């Protein structure tokens, strides 16, 4: 006789995808190490932009990466302290101090959780492909521009080191792909500079690395309404910029890996990561596009382990191997980022053959997105401007697709008009002027079977047509309306002009 327990359902925990094979595990571990090395100078630089101690940016990168690896919706995406967030909150820190900055980070996280739960991620469907291409190309340009200061007014030895680093990353994968070429480049250049005693800028020149883990605590601010009104505008701006940059990056990784991600979970996860980061005294952040490209495109990572290890290795490198990491030449990291820039840019989009075949409007939207992003140094602003431009061009294009053709009966007693195309606020404005109100017979039939009514503006246009004919003693009959269009007209007809 079987035991009652034998009938109970058996639950099996699914095996983590990074344990699928030793090769996958090795790829994830090495990818995390490469990203951690690249994160250190970036986090320090963003700390300087925000006007805080380097440890604040490094702690933020650590907590953001570790937390988002668990709660995020996009595998292998790297979140850490970013320049976009640093630019938003820098004025708050300069005016009110670190305590207010940390409080704003926590509030921004709360807002991101709320926006994520409300479904803000669904707005990504309104970002056209041309904007996405412009976003990618602008990102590549910004990554390269960010490296220019590291190549200007530096010792001459930087240039051969930079060239050597690029050469290693181009040719080493032809020998083997077991170890990521960026990691090999960083190690080789560091050994050369230390062994030969070459004096070049190093990671240590960017700022002092932390020597201990961050400790959680509350922000040092008065918990009053005045504090809330002070930090709220900055928190809202940070929440929106962070979400937009993260969702765009997630969509980019989706395309690269040919997989789907949970954008709602990613939005909420970004908020949770910022809340945790704030309580640990970090400056907050969002998805890092450059480091994500290193992780996904250069190193081949595909799981959450690489993201988790990027944050973990970051702290280990700073606390345990701080002196060694400080000796890494900036030329090695600049070479990595230059290769990321070249690999990120969509070269196909700017080929003459592609430009000749692409509709002019699409090319204009892509170019505007690139120009705005590069001019403002803000990816979120560029995406918004590009999307609005694309929608404007689309609305203008379809505004003239509503056509009217009329046929008068042989006896001259009735005219039948056929309306085709989509009726919405842009196209319906022209519709009113396409009828011969003066010379048409008394019986007018308007066949709407070839169109669809999308908004109140279109209903108002039909009301105006009916009114114009009625003023001349003529009767209008609308036929062929599909069910949604008929329902909208029935609800709104005669209700949009106050009876006038």
């Amino acid at each position: 006789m079987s035991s009652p327990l034998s009938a109970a359902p058996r639950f099996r925990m699914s095996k983590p995808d990074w344990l699928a094979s030793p090769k996958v595990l090795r790829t994830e571990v090495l990818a995390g190490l490469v990203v951690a090395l690249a994160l250190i100078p970036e986090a320090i630089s963003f700390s300087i932009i925000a006007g805080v101690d380097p440890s604040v940016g490094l702690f933020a990168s650590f907590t953001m990466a570790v937390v988002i690896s668990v709660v995020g919706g996009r595998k292998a995406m790297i979140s850490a302290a970013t320049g976009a967030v640093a630019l938003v909150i820098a004025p708050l820190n300069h005016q009110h101090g670190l305590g207010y900055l940390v409080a704003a980070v926590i509030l921004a996280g709360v807002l991101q959780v709320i926006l994520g739960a409300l479904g803000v991620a669904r707005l990504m469907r309104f970002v056209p492909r041309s904007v996405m291409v412009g976003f990618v190309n602008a990102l590549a340009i910004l990554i390269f521009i960010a490296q220019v200061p590291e190549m200007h007014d530096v010792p001459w030895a930087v240039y051969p080191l930079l060239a050597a680093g690029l050469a290693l990353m181009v040719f080493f994968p032809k020998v083997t792909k077991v170890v990521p070429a960026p990691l090999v480049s960083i190690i080789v250049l560091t050994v050369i500079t230390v062994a030969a005693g070459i004096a070049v800028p190093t990671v240590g020149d960017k700022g002092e690395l932390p020597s201990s883990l961050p400790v959680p605590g509350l922000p040092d601010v008065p918990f009053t309404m005045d504090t809330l009104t002070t930090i709220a505008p900055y928190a809202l701006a940070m929440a929106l910029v962070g979400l937009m940059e993260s969702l765009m990056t997630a969509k980019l990784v989706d395309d690269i890996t040919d997989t789907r991600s949970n954008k709602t979970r990613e939005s909420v996860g970004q908020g949770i990561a910022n809340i945790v980061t704030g309580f640990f005294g970090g400056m907050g952040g969002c998805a890092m596009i450059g480091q994500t490209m290193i992780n996904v495109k250069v190193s081949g990572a595909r799981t959450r382990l690489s993201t988790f290890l990027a944050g973990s290795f970051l702290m280990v490198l700073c606390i345990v191997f701080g002196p060694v990491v400080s000796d890494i030449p900036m030329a090695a990291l600049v070479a990595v980022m230059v290769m990321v820039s070249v690999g990120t840019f969509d070269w196909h989009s700017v080929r003459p053959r592609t430009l000749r075949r692409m509709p002019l409007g699409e090319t204009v939207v892509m170019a505007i997105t690139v120009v705005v992003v590069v001019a403002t140094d803000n990816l979120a602003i560029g995406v918004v401007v590009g999307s609005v431009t694309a929608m404007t061009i689309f609305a203008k294009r379809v505004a003239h697709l509503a056509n009217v053709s009329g046929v008068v009966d042989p006896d001259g007693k009735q005219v039948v008009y056929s309306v085709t195309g989509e009726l919405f606020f842009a196209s319906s404005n022209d519709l009113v002027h396409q009828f011969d109100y003066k010379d048409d017979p008394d019986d007018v039939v308007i066949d709407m079977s070839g169109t669809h009514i999308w908004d109140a503006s279109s209903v108002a246009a039909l009301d105006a047509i009916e009114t114009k004919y009625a003023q001349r003693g003529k009767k209008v009959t609308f036929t062929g309306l599909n069910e949604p269009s008929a329902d909208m007209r029935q609800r709104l007809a005669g209700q949009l002009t106050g009876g006038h």
Side-chain angles (χ1 to χ4, degrees):
M1 185 174 180
S2 61
S3 168
L5 291 177
S6 64
R10 295 180 180 180
F11 297 97
R12 294 182 179 179
M13 293 186 65
S14 59
K15 190 176 182 180
D17 45 9
W18 45 268
L19 283 179
S21 70
K23 180 181 178 181
V24 171
L25 180 60
R26 181 181 65 244
T27 298
E28 299 298 311
V29 172
L30 293 176
L33 179 57
V34 172
V35 173
L37 289 169
L39 275 174
I40 294 173
E42 293 276 298
I44 295 173
S45 298
F46 298 146
S47 299
I48 295 171
I49 292 174
V52 297
D53 189 81
S55 62
V56 176
L58 290 165
F59 288 158
S61 295
F62 163 60
T63 53
M64 287 292 298
V66 169
V67 174
I68 205 67
S69 69
V70 178
V71 300
R74 173 64 259 178
K75 295 178 181 180
M77 192 166 76
I78 305 296
S79 290
T82 60
V85 169
L87 288 169
V88 169
I89 60 177
L92 178 63
N93 179 64
H94 294 319
Q95 295 173 22
H96 300 280
L98 180 60
Y100 281 81
L101 181 151
V102 171
V105 170
I106 296 173
L107 179 58
V110 173
L111 293 174
Q112 286 178 329
V113 171
I114 295 172
L115 290 171
L118 292 175
V120 70
R122 287 194 291 269
L123 295 176
M124 288 302 297
R125 72 182 66 179
F126 297 107
V127 177
R129 180 187 177 279
S130 53
V131 174
M132 190 67 191
V133 173
F135 168 84
V136 170
N137 290 345
L139 161 66
I141 294 171
L142 287 182
I143 291 174
F144 182 82
I145 291 175
Q147 312 313 310
V148 172
E150 303 296 339
M151 297 183 278
H152 176 68
D153 195 21
V154 293
W156 69 268
V158 167
Y159 302 109
L161 286 173
L162 179 60
L166 293 173
L168 276 170
M169 283 183 286
V170 171
F171 295 109
F172 187 79
K174 300 180 185 300
V175 177
T176 178
K177 294 184 179 180
V178 173
V179 182
L183 180 58
V184 174
S185 177
I186 292 170
I187 293 174
V188 169
L189 295 190
T190 302
V191 170
I192 291 174
T193 54
V194 172
I198 302 174
V200 291
T202 64
V203 170
D205 296 331
K206 289 289 184 180
E208 186 178 351
L209 302 181
S211 57
S212 61
L213 289 171
V215 178
L218 295 174
D220 184 18
V221 295
F223 292 88
T224 62
M225 186 58 67
D226 184 57
T227 299
L228 180 61
T229 55
T230 300
I231 66 174
Y234 297 95
L236 179 60
M238 176 184 165
L240 294 175
V241 169
L243 280 182
M244 184 168 293
E245 197 154 332
S246 299
L247 292 173
M248 290 293 290
T249 306
K251 190 174 187 301
L252 178 59
V253 177
D254 288 353
D255 293 341
I256 292 173
T257 61
D258 195 25
T259 58
R260 295 184 64 182
S261 59
N262 188 329
K263 305 299 190 303
T264 297
R265 177 177 172 179
E266 183 61 40
S267 301
V268 174
Q270 288 289 331
I272 294 172
N274 273 305
I275 292 171
V276 173
T277 297
F279 282 118
F280 276 91
M283 59 182 277
C286 61
M288 289 197 77
I289 306 171
Q291 272 64 24
T292 297
M293 290 300 99
I294 294 175
N295 196 46
V296 174
K297 203 166 187 179
V298 178
S299 302
R302 293 293 184 271
T303 77
R304 297 179 183 276
L305 181 64
S306 58
T307 306
F308 177 83
L309 290 179
S312 302
F313 283 151
L314 174 66
M315 280 292 100
V316 172
L317 289 170
C318 290
I319 296 172
V320 181
F321 301 102
V324 176
V325 173
S326 296
D327 288 334
I328 296 175
M330 284 301 301
L333 298 174
V334 169
V336 172
M337 298 309 293
V338 168
M339 287 298 294
V340 169
S341 173
V342 172
T344 301
F345 196 90
D346 187 349
W347 298 101
H348 175 75
S349 67
V350 295
R351 289 176 182 169
R353 180 184 299 179
T354 304
L355 294 175
R356 283 195 300 268
R357 294 181 177 179
M358 191 69 64
L360 180 60
E362 301 276 320
T363 303
V364 169
V365 169
M366 180 187 72
I368 287 176
T369 303
V370 171
V371 170
V372 173
V373 169
V374 174
T376 62
D377 199 26
N378 191 312
L379 292 161
I381 294 176
V383 170
V384 171
V385 173
S387 297
V388 171
T389 303
M391 291 175 186
T392 302
I393 292 175
F394 173 77
K396 185 176 180 180
R397 184 183 302 160
V398 300
H400 305 292
L401 294 182
N403 296 314
V404 177
S405 58
V407 177
V408 180
D409 280 354
D411 58 9
K413 293 183 179 180
Q414 185 185 68
V415 60
V416 178
Y417 285 100
S418 294
V419 180
T420 58
E422 303 301 311
L423 291 182
F424 67 112
F425 63 89
S427 59
S428 59
N429 289 331
D430 293 337
L431 183 68
V432 179
H433 306 292
Q434 297 190 49
F435 297 89
D436 190 355
Y437 302 102
K438 180 181 177 181
D439 298 325
D440 277 344
D442 293 343
D443 188 9
V444 180
V445 176
I446 301 178
D447 181 10
M448 307 287 289
S449 57
T451 187
H452 183 91
I453 296 175
W454 288 103
D455 58 12
S457 296
S458 302
V459 177
L462 298 184
D463 285 351
I465 294 169
E466 194 171 28
T467 300
K468 286 179 179 292
Y469 276 117
Q471 289 171 346
R472 293 166 174 79
K474 301 175 182 181
K475 178 187 175 184
V476 178
T477 304
F478 293 97
T479 64
L481 284 168
N482 58 39
E483 187 174 342
S485 299
D487 179 63
M488 181 175 290
R489 174 160 166 73
Q490 183 177 3
R491 285 186 290 109
L492 298 179
Q495 305 297 318
L496 301 170
T497 60
H500 298 292

